[in-house]
Amino acid sequence: MAERAKALLVDDRKDNLLALEAILQGLPVTPVAVESGEAALKQLLTDDFAVILLDAQMPNMDGFETASHIKRRERTRHVPILFLTAADRDAQLALRGYAVGAVDYLTKPFDPWVLRAKVSIFVELWTKTQQLKAQADATRERDAQWQRLTETVDEAARVLRANGEQAASEALALLEKARWGSPND
């Protein structure tokens, strides 16, 4: 069964986190709520996320600093960040958000349907990426199987050439192993 996409919700106010969880309800995503930038960074060490909804203005480590840390890490630099803020439509804050790697910057109150649509797109992209990774893994495994098969057939041909008809039973055993797989594989 495929892993379900997760959305990291980061806000210092519990009521905002509850509201975000309610907005995302019914989408094919598991919300993971944390109350600080530090907690978000810790969560990102253990879990993979399709999207991060990040409050821009928090005490201690604000959303901009948190985003900066996220984008510096190899493991998390490609996770899309949507900034959410209660600040008025200050263009400088939005530019600062984009400068640290945000894909969007929404001011509150925002339309919950717009947020759902944006999250849905990132969840779909994450899901497609996971499917492509699984297909690539399966292709690599098939290639490895073909490589082992080719090596076994080459070995059987070498044995036949070296020993003529006397080696036919050994060569046949190798070919059968290649066809049906070794009990140790």
Side-chain angles (χ1 to χ4, degrees):
M1 187 171 148
E3 182 182 357
R4 185 175 165 100
K6 295 177 188 173
L8 182 59
L9 316 178
V10 188
D11 199 305
D12 60 309
R13 296 185 50 182
K14 286 186 183 190
D15 56 333
N16 287 342
L17 291 172
L18 289 172
L20 288 173
E21 288 176 345
I23 289 169
L24 299 181
Q25 195 168 27
L27 293 179
V29 64
T30 301
V32 176
V34 296
E35 295 182 28
S36 70
E38 294 89 350
L41 294 175
K42 286 179 185 173
Q43 194 69 48
L44 287 162
L45 290 173
T46 59
D47 288 325
D48 293 323
F49 291 92
V51 65
I52 300 169
L53 305 181
L54 181 59
D55 183 24
Q57 297 177 321
M58 296 183 292
N60 300 325
M61 184 186 296
D62 68 13
F64 303 108
E65 186 179 352
T66 303
S68 180
H69 286 291
I70 291 168
K71 293 301 180 178
R72 275 191 291 231
R73 292 180 178 173
E74 179 63 34
R75 179 175 181 197
T76 58
R77 72 174 35 140
H78 300 294
V79 179
I81 298 173
L82 298 172
F83 268 113
L84 309 175
T85 185
D88 59 5
R89 300 181 187 277
D90 181 353
Q92 291 303 316
L93 284 178
L95 287 175
R96 188 174 170 205
Y98 292 123
V100 294
V103 296
D104 209 347
Y105 190 93
L106 303 174
T107 56
K108 299 172 189 171
F110 50 80
D111 184 335
W113 293 104
V114 170
L115 182 62
R116 284 176 62 87
K118 290 175 185 282
V119 169
S120 291
I121 288 168
F122 290 117
V123 166
E124 185 176 336
L125 288 171
W126 183 88
T127 302
K128 297 282 187 209
T129 300
Q130 298 309 305
Q131 291 170 347
L132 287 172
K133 286 179 182 176
Q135 289 175 348
D137 290 345
T139 299
R140 275 191 293 280
E141 178 56 33
R142 269 194 312 276
D143 288 349
Q145 289 174 345
W146 277 109
Q147 182 64 34
R148 289 189 299 270
L149 176 63
T150 301
E151 289 168 0
T152 303
V153 169
D154 289 346
E155 176 66 13
R158 184 194 60 76
V159 166
L160 282 172
R161 277 192 295 279
N163 299 314
E165 291 181 33
Q166 297 171 341
S169 64
E170 184 181 346
L172 283 173
L174 285 169
L175 291 172
E176 287 298 319
K177 176 183 168 189
R179 174 182 282 156
W180 304 110
S182 168
N184 298 331
D185 286 348

